[in-house]
Amino acid sequence: MDSSVTLQMLESDSQTCTACKLCETRKTVVFGEGNTSPQIMIVGEGPGADEDATGRPFVGKSGQLLDKILGAVGLARADIYIGNMVKCRPPANRAPEPEEVLACNRWLEPQLALLKPQVILTLGNTPTRYLLGLQAGITRTRGTWHRKTFAWGTPLVMPMFHPAYLLRNDTKAVGGPKSLTWRDIQEVVAVLGGKDPEGLAPVQDELRLF
Ligand code: URA
Ligand code: SF4
Ligand code: URA
């Protein structure tokens, strides 16, 4: 069966999920969307209010900034797939709890296995820490290439700042978070174009939840 059909079945199954307590407060399960055989998959933290209301990932202020970051290197939403660590909105936009992330991996793991992206961009601390098992925060890990081993392949992983963080630290200063993000997204595009990934860091296994 074609992977986009299977992905639609997975999405449809996810819509009634009650595997963690986020199901009690969500309006919509935000499964993810985009290119179903993407070079790049973006993994955010979890839906916010706008996403919970519309059922689509990254459509609020963060999403608008994300579109600009992608557009700056000639990427559109149709080129990539966008999803989140948890598919339901954490109340008051708190970070998802470890057991919520673990529960929601029942959707993320098969989603990744069907999409098989070459590169995963983890936005902010939550996806970076859970997917790579890193203790170091995003300020130290962003801009460095990692490789993660799955049963289906070994995609490169690039941690980047979360757009919500860029909105809170909106400076155009050289060396500021926006300029670092500009550097990071250019590096991603360069590597997809054939450049060697520099400074590939080993993945630490001890803290991996999955
Ligand atoms: N922030 C996220 O991490 N994900 C979204 O989908 C929207 C905002
Ligand atoms: Fe299910 Fe994930 Fe929603 Fe929890 S966050 S209820 S695991 S879909
Ligand atoms: N802190 C976060 O939680 N995310 C970022 O992207 C940067 C700092």
Side-chain angles (χ1 to χ4, degrees), residues 45 122-126 129 137-139 142 160-166 168-169 177:
E45 181 172 280
T122 54
L123 302 185
N125 276 321
T126 297
R129 285 195 162 135
I138 187 71
T139 307
R142 62 132 285 282
M160 297 189 10
F161 285 128
H162 195 288
Y165 175 76
L166 301 179
R168 293 195 301 272
N169 295 273

Side-chain angles (χ1 to χ4, degrees), residues 71-176:
V73 291
L75 290 169
R77 282 207 177 215
D79 301 322
I80 59 173
Y81 191 94
I82 307 186
N84 282 298
M85 290 306 286
V86 294
K87 314 297 189 210
C88 303
R89 183 192 184 198
N93 299 338
R94 66 161 170 76
E97 291 166 5
E99 58 268 31
E100 293 160 356
V101 173
L102 204 53
C104 212
N105 194 43
R106 76 191 55 227
W107 306 115
L108 182 61
E109 192 174 273
Q111 189 176 30
L112 280 164
L114 288 165
L115 292 165
K116 297 186 178 60
Q118 283 167 253
V119 171
I120 299 174
L121 311 183
T122 54
L123 302 185
N125 276 321
T126 297
T128 303
R129 285 195 162 135
Y130 286 110
L131 277 181
L132 293 176
L134 297 173
Q135 201 154 30
I138 187 71
T139 307
R140 285 187 45 209
T141 52
R142 62 132 285 282
T144 58
W145 285 111
H146 298 260
R147 207 181 268 285
K148 163 112 179 167
T149 303
F150 293 95
W152 52 268
T154 53
L156 285 165
V157 181
M158 173 61 84
M160 297 189 10
F161 285 128
H162 195 288
Y165 175 76
L166 301 179
L167 289 169
R168 293 195 301 272
N169 295 273
D170 192 10
T171 159
K172 293 208 165 88
V174 174

Side-chain angles (χ1 to χ4, degrees), residues 14-24 26 28-30 47 85-89 99-107:
S14 74
Q15 299 303 301
T16 51
C17 180
T18 55
C20 84
K21 65 181 176 298
L22 296 180
C23 73
E24 294 162 19
R26 73 166 182 241
T28 318
V29 176
V30 183
M85 290 306 286
V86 294
K87 314 297 189 210
C88 303
R89 183 192 184 198
E99 58 268 31
E100 293 160 356
V101 173
L102 204 53
C104 212
N105 194 43
R106 76 191 55 227
W107 306 115

